Amino acid sequence: MNIEDDSLLNSFLRTAYVLFPDGETILKELCIRIGDNNHQLLPILQTMNLTDWAFITAWNPQVQALSRTENEERNQQLEKDLMPYAVFRGEGRPQLADDWEAEQSFWVPGIAEEEAIRLGRKYNQRAIIQGKWNQARLVWL
């Protein structure tokens, strides 16, 4: 890895991947961290009888900031691509980058890693967050 890749990796690792409250499910706002035991996910996944999941966005392709309007349009298209799945809204909240807006995202339980990677590549992302049970890991694209 070079210095730019190390900086980007650190940014991804420090980001809080937050799921928003949803009054119609058991889901409460919770924060997913790469490398942590995200125990709050276990009851949700068990209730759904699922193990695999991904946290994905279409915002800011290749870590290049786009306008809010462009990002929202891209995420609307991604949401259409995710129609076969139960999708929960969330956002990636950077912890150190005051100049980087939180990215609207989706937590997608039940999506296979290969499909999440395909969608990440379709929307020109540098990485996605892939999970199994309560473990989250960064997958470089």
Side-chain angles (χ1 to χ4, degrees):
M1 288 187 127
N2 61 37
I3 292 172
E4 181 180 317
D5 290 338
D6 285 345
S7 176
L8 185 57
L9 173 62
N10 285 331
S11 293
F12 277 114
L13 294 177
R14 289 188 194 123
T15 295
Y17 302 94
V18 178
L19 305 183
F20 293 144
D22 183 334
E24 297 179 10
T25 70
I26 62 169
L27 188 63
K28 302 293 181 219
E29 182 170 315
L30 58 92
C31 178
I32 298 171
R33 296 265 184 196
I34 297 169
D36 284 357
N37 286 323
N38 300 286
H39 296 295
Q40 317 94 310
L41 295 176
L42 291 176
I44 299 164
L45 292 165
Q46 289 169 340
T47 298
M48 300 175 90
N49 200 28
L50 298 169
T51 59
D52 297 318
W53 55 270
F55 199 91
I56 189 169
T57 187
W59 276 47
N60 300 324
Q62 292 299 309
V63 196
Q64 299 299 312
L66 297 181
S67 72
R68 184 170 193 67
T69 300
E70 289 172 297
N71 281 323
E72 287 173 350
E73 288 171 0
R74 290 172 55 81
N75 247 23
Q76 286 173 359
Q77 185 58 51
L78 173 58
E79 189 171 24
K80 289 177 185 174
D81 288 342
L82 293 170
M83 286 187 72
Y85 303 96
V87 174
F88 298 87
R89 294 185 182 276
E91 66 183 17
R93 294 179 184 162
Q95 297 300 293
L96 298 177
D98 293 333
D99 61 337
W100 198 258
E101 183 179 4
E103 295 182 344
Q104 294 176 10
S105 305
F106 302 103
W107 183 65
V108 189
I111 192 169
E113 181 177 357
E114 298 78 25
E115 178 64 4
I117 288 171
R118 184 189 72 74
L119 288 170
R121 287 182 175 146
K122 177 178 178 179
Y123 290 94
N124 210 18
Q125 297 298 298
R126 289 290 302 271
I128 61 166
I129 308 306
Q130 193 277 326
K132 187 161 196 85
W133 287 114
N134 61 329
Q135 297 296 311
R137 66 184 179 86
L138 185 66
V139 177
W140 290 107
L141 307 178

